Amino acid sequence: MNPQYDLAAAQAHFRARIAYTTGVHELEGMIQANRDAIIVVDLRLQSDYARGHVPGAVNLPKGKWHTAKGLRRGATHYLYCYDQTCHLAAEAAIELTAQGFHVVEVEGGWAGWEAKGFRAEPELAAA
């Protein structure tokens, strides 16, 4: 065992990780259980969002985070971007929490969602 391993720091790290991140499996379960209770936010470019996104997700690409369009105070917002290595969700989380929004980063992003074969929807045509 590593003599420098800090058990208290490890516990704090994993508690924070659970509080502020989730996975695509958990997100799918939350959508199935009570879609109206959560807000899913796709941070990818509008063109990528249009090709497919998590059902019901609002598109809020970088450069529009200050508008907070589609977000709701007091709700928890589940943020996702392209994949596990994309930092858009973390960057958006910093800006949105500064505005007072509750956010959780979805680890794996769109690539993780697609890899699991979860249902996707294309952008609806403008009426």
Side-chain angles (χ1 to χ4, degrees), residues 24-102:
V24 294
H25 282 99
E26 293 81 5
L27 180 61
E28 169 67 5
M30 286 182 274
I31 290 171
Q32 295 300 322
N34 192 359
R35 177 65 186 98
D36 295 333
I38 65 171
I39 297 174
V40 180
V41 184
D42 185 319
L43 301 162
R44 299 173 304 143
L45 294 172
Q46 196 280 329
S47 57
D48 295 323
Y49 172 85
R51 283 192 288 275
H53 54 269
V54 172
V58 298
N59 186 223
L60 197 63
K62 189 170 187 171
K64 298 194 178 200
W65 300 337
H66 66 283
T67 68
K69 184 177 180 184
L71 307 188
R72 193 172 64 233
R73 300 258 179 227
T76 299
H77 302 80
Y78 293 86
L79 311 177
Y80 73 91
C81 54
Y82 289 96
D83 58 29
Q84 188 67 33
T85 63
C86 177
H87 289 138
L88 285 172
E91 290 175 27
I94 292 167
E95 185 161 332
L96 295 173
T97 55
Q99 295 176 45
F101 290 100
H102 300 178

Side-chain angles (χ1 to χ4, degrees), residues 5-28:
Y5 191 86
D6 184 335
L7 290 172
Q11 282 192 340
H13 165 78
F14 289 112
R15 286 182 204 279
R17 186 167 180 238
I18 289 168
Y20 302 112
T21 64
T22 195
V24 294
H25 282 99
E26 293 81 5
L27 180 61
E28 169 67 5

